[in-house]
Amino acid sequence: MSDTTIPTSTTTTIVDLFDSMAYGPAPESAAPARDWLAAHGPHLGLYIGGEWRAPSSGEYFPSVNPATGQPLIEVAQAASDDVDAAVAAARAAFPAWSATPGHVRARYLYALARQIQKHSRLLAVLESLDNGKPIRETRDIDIPLVARHFYHHAGWAQLLADELPDMRSLGVVGQIIPWNFPLLMLSWKIAPALATGNTVVLKPAEFTSITAVAFAEIVQSIGLPPGVVNIITGDGRTGELIVNHPDVDKIAFTGSTDVGRAIRRATAGTGKRLSLELGGKSPFVVFDDADLDSVVEGVVDAIWFNQGQVCCAGSRLLVQETIADALLAKLRARMEKLRVGDPLDKAVDIGAIIAPVQLEKIQRLVAQGVAEGAHCWQPSWSCPTDGYFYPPTLFTEVAPSSTIAQVEIFGPVLVSMTFRTPAEAVALANNTAYGLAASVWSENVNLALDVARKIQAGTLWVNSTNLFDAASGFGGYRESGFGREGGREGLNEYLQPAWESAHTDATETAGTPDEHVAAVREKPLAANGHTRTARRASAAAPHAAPTGDSAHANGHANAAAIYDGGIVIPPIDRTPKLFIGGKQVRPDSGYSRLILDAAGQPLGEVGEGNRKDIRNAVEAAHAALPGWSATTGHARAQILYYIAENLSGRAAELAARITAQTGRPDADTEVERSVERLFTYAAWADKYDGAVHSTLMRGITLAIHEPVGVLGLICPTEYPLLGFVSLVAPAVAMGNAVVAVPSASHPLSATDFYSILETSDVPAGVVNIITGPCDTLAKVLAEHDDVGGIWSFSSPDTSRLVELASAGNMKRTWAPPHPRDWLDSRQGAGHEFLREATQVKNIWVPVGE
Ligand code: NAI
């Protein structure tokens, strides 16, 4: 134990105390929490449909106090029947709850917040006992933020109908949370789900179920209608059952990247919405003009808060070379004074690690760091041995590519590296697959904000760290997952456009309960409308997707021959190539594909793109991205207007081409709508503003919309021009560079577009177009590590493939399950598209001297 512990000898004098400045014990009483456990033991039940029940398996497992290794109580292992019952209860409660007026929902959320405040100390102690985190943290951070989350979202319930009138609830939401912030993660999940009118089945982590059960009691005590919140406990098997349940409309998950990836794969193609908050390896960047004493306290907070078991822990300390020695010396001195021990002691800084398995993981990774040549430093004192404790640990001489610099350790282990210039700091900071959070420390506000903009992460703290609030969205870039929790941006994770909810309602209103379940189980089939549309389209053009061997060598591009004085002159071949990096280039495959008209007659040929072409296009897009994303919204708007102008000038020709391909009589309308859509996004280019959130911090929290990066766009089959424009325009308006795969059967409208792009000042590489086999190209895009997101609108089969393949680097996908009417601007344009084209970065800037 620390040498700063107060001596027990009765001879201690006041002078001794002033000399040592030692802490006395400051224990929080565990008695009320122990009484609660005794009253509820030996088994905790499942809360389903407003009632408590034993698990159908009859199985229970112990929840253990990590500070002692002693069991606290037994927790139920929910099995398949329990998950079915919980989902059925949530489904039954959904129609009434989603139709409940916002004010009434607000009253329930408000009641939850009040109850949490009124029982805050009990919840804080239970949390400390179950998780091992210091009482100072549960009492002062976790539980107050839980209450804050319910208050804040009571407000959103109140305002929802006015603020987001065109949005509707999703349905039944399955929520799976980790053990590091048990009740806080519960509140991050449940509060927005309830505020937006959804019903919930939540599973806490198996190590920390107690406060979720206590919360269920609060839910019951306030009279929340049965089935609106169902809490079921169990391990990963229970989680898997929730994820795979056919009657769940959305999964919200926080936890490890590996499980997130498995969930992405399990839900691919099902039409379930998904938000994932995964791991991180967040940089903590210190410039030479930073206030080093504040920095040291910041580091303590960044990596030793919650024993470092924090997804956004500042686990990589990046220090400007000139101050590295001074900072590390101060840090080691501070580490000597940190106190590890009983979480219920209010003078303890670092509590216990959650479980032996996590402790072993930390020990293994530390050993690996040493084996890989880094220097490991720990304070001179030793940890208590009766629980799962690990000392604060500092690694220096760390190679940026080493395991400990790349892998999320999820423990009190800090790795330190140095840099020389701001550019080097940014490169090091971004040298990770993750992108959850970062801290930047400098007294120079220009430098700090510049670096904050350049680091790829969802949350940036300037001269501060680990600040959270219900008013600000939290979530990741890159492999840290997608979706946001908190604030206005988090609400959208639990809402869908009103027109889209009509698809859900259609399956939910008709029929007997059995038929209802059957209809809902068939939900992916609801997307069959989409499948059927796609199949109809390809039936009209049976040879529209030839593979290499069926590709034609003799061009039909200009089937209409030219006659001159009765002499037949062969038509000039005009097979459009691919459009990469602003140039028309031949497909790598050397093949072309035949395109048929609506009557099944040859209409032309396009290049047969392949993997290599996609790679080249992604490279070109990346080259264009820094310039394009830095271009002002005004300049991007000018270019979109210019495209619209050039499109309009060729309206008749483009309409004729649409009719030739599709046989549809409304081609003029499609062209006109395409022009309108370009105007819409030219308008938005300089208007899709972020926000300044009203958080608890004394300072400003700036929510900034940033482009996702390189976006892959798999265009709809049906509207060859409008579908293409509806995806490309919002993406480029928001500063992304795109690789678009046009309609496989009607690609000629997109290839006609090359010349419009070439004459509209669109910088080379901003828009790249690869024609060819949709599925093959979509899969390559989805697997590509340098593609930030992918939109899939061609068919449910392609969407499934995209969602599956994207799990590799957890890229964002947008593959809506329902077909949409592209001519309708509510379905084919607007906020939904802008949101998908951007990611929100929250930058926290404290103010004051
Ligand atoms: P985990 O990701 O396995 O568990 C998180 C939640 O998912 C728990 O409720 C668990 O029961 C559930 N779960 C597990 N397997 C599932 C599956 N196949 N389908 C659905 N749900 C499933 O995390 P775990 O095992 O507790 O910790 C493993 C590592 O993950 C830690 O060492 C740490 O590095 C990391 N982790 C990261 C967290 C974060 O917030 N970024 C939180 C917790 C752990």
Side-chain angles (χ1 to χ4, degrees), residues 80 123 143 186 216-217 247 257 441-442 449-450 502 545 743 772 808 814:
S80 176
L123 293 169
I143 309 302
L186 175 148
E217 272 195 350
D247 201 14
T257 300
W441 295 73
S442 166
L449 289 178
D450 186 47
S743 169
W814 185 29

Side-chain angles (χ1 to χ4, degrees), residues 176-179 203 205-206 239 253 256 278 311 358 361 410:
I176 298 164
I177 56 173
W179 40 258
K203 188 195 85 65
E206 51 271 43
F253 172 79
S256 61
L278 309 173
C311 47
Q358 189 65 21
K361 178 182 169 188
F410 226 62

Side-chain angles (χ1 to χ4, degrees), residues 176-181 185 203-207 234-243 253-260 262-263 277-280 309-312 354 357-358 361 408-411 436:
I176 298 164
I177 56 173
W179 40 258
N180 52 346
F181 292 89
M185 288 302 105
K203 188 195 85 65
E206 51 271 43
F207 294 135
D235 59 18
R237 289 169 295 168
T238 311
E240 241 179 303
L241 288 166
I242 297 174
V243 167
F253 172 79
T254 300
S256 61
T257 300
D258 285 346
V259 173
I263 292 176
E277 201 267 88
L278 309 173
Q309 302 168 132
V310 183
C311 47
C312 53
I354 187 74
V357 61
Q358 189 65 21
K361 178 182 169 188
E408 182 182 46
I409 299 176
F410 226 62
L436 198 50

Side-chain angles (χ1 to χ4, degrees), residues 246-247 507 510 512-525:
D247 201 14
T507 54
T512 63
D514 279 355
E515 285 165 346
H516 160 71
V517 171
V520 171
R521 293 227 156 127
E522 304 286 298
K523 225 179 201 168
L525 296 181

